[in-house]
């Protein structure tokens, strides 16, 4: 009986260490707003500050999606604990609030912009986006009008994808290589359209780690909504993504 319990205990320990060991991809964090609005996808500035401090103190280095993909192609080595920090929609608080906090801890981010909303109330202007770009932020596309892509026809999907890319590139003077699917919704026609439009990769809303070894048009992310349990919830979300990444590597 004692021998059996020892074997079971050893097995549980080995499995736990395997699940917690690094590997399987890079955490791609998904934020929206950083402010005081009592909404699920808006987190307070002090909570965002705590999360960035946690990343910095635990050895994480923020990289861009371009750097992640360049490493795959031999264009450089990734740091020991890379993390990609993304924001969907292009809210003005990404520039006014989130950027100074990230810079405080040596972090940088990627902002997926709704091209048709730039300059509208609560959204960044092109001048603010240029300023973010000059301070190390990568700019990607979140389509032109933030439509659920799998709910429109393939030609309409392609038009959304192409128009957004062209508008952002013309306004900022740099290529747009990455997309985040609005509402996390997409289908096979969407992926074909993303490729045809000339994007290098795309982020989903699926939980887990992002990896360039699989389908680069279905990158997993770690969703970071307004926390109910403080920093512990943030830490648990990172851990869950790590576990998902390990389990996914088995299939």
């Amino acid at each position: 009986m004692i021998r059996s319990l020892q074997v079971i205990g050893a097995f549980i320990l080995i499995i736990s260490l395997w699940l917690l060991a690094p590997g399987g991809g890079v955490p791609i964090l998904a934020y929206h707003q950083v402010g005081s609005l009592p909404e699920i996808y808006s987190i307070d500035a002090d909570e965002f500050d705590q999360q960035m401090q946690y990343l910095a103190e635990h050895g994480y280095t923020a990289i861009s999606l371009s750097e992640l993909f360049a490493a795959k192609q031999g264009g450089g080595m990734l740091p020991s604990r890379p993390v990609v920090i993304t924001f969907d929609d292009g809210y003005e608080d990404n520039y006014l609030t989130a950027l100074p906090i990230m810079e405080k801890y040596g972090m940088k981010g990627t902002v997926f912009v709704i091209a048709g909303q730039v300059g509208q109330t609560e959204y960044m202007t092109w001048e603010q986006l240029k300023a973010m770009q000059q301070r190390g932020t990568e700019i990607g596309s979140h389509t032109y009008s933030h439509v659920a892509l799998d709910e429109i026809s393939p030609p309409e999907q392609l038009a959304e994808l192409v128009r957004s890319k062209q508008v952002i590139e013309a306004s900022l003077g740099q290529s747009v290589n990455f997309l985040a699917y609005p509402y996390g919704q997409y289908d096979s026609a969407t992926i074909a359209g993303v490729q045809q439009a000339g994007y290098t990769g795309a982020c989903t809303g699926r939980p887990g780690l992002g990896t360039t070894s699989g389908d680069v048009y279905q990158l997993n992310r770690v969703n970071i909504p307004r926390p109910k349990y403080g920093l512990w919830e943030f830490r648990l979300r990172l851990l869950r993504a790590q576990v998902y990444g390990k389990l996914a590597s088995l299939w």
Side-chain angles (χ1 to χ4, degrees), residues 41-77:
Y41 290 119
S42 174
I43 73 169
D44 291 334
D46 60 342
E47 291 172 327
F48 184 71
D49 188 292
Q50 292 173 21
Q51 293 172 3
M52 295 300 104
Q53 182 179 10
Y54 174 85
L55 293 175
E57 291 180 349
H58 286 78
Y60 284 93
T61 301
I63 64 171
S64 65
L65 287 170
S66 294
E67 289 170 326
L68 176 62
F69 276 67
K72 174 189 177 183
Q73 299 167 355
M77 294 289 292

Side-chain angles (χ1 to χ4, degrees), residues 74-86:
M77 294 289 292
L78 291 179
S80 59
R81 301 196 77 178
V83 62
V84 181
I85 304 169
T86 70

Side-chain angles (χ1 to χ4, degrees), residues 4 12 14 20 36 46 48-49 54 58 75 90 97 123 127 136 150 160 173 177 193 201 218 233 242 245:
S4 298
I12 292 174
I14 292 171
L20 296 176
S36 58
D46 60 342
F48 184 71
D49 188 292
Y54 174 85
H58 286 78
T97 306
Y123 293 88
E127 289 72 24
D150 62 348
E160 277 279 340
N177 299 315
Q218 298 188 74
E233 182 176 330
Q242 184 72 41

Side-chain angles (χ1 to χ4, degrees), residues 65-66 69 112 138-141 165 168-169 174-180 194 197-203 216-217 219:
L65 287 170
S66 294
F69 276 67
F112 294 110
E138 181 177 51
I139 306 299
S141 167
K165 192 174 191 298
I168 299 172
E169 289 177 341
Q174 289 191 14
S175 62
V176 173
N177 299 315
F178 301 98
L179 171 92
V194 172
Y199 292 92
T200 303
C203 290
V216 295
Y217 296 101
L219 296 172

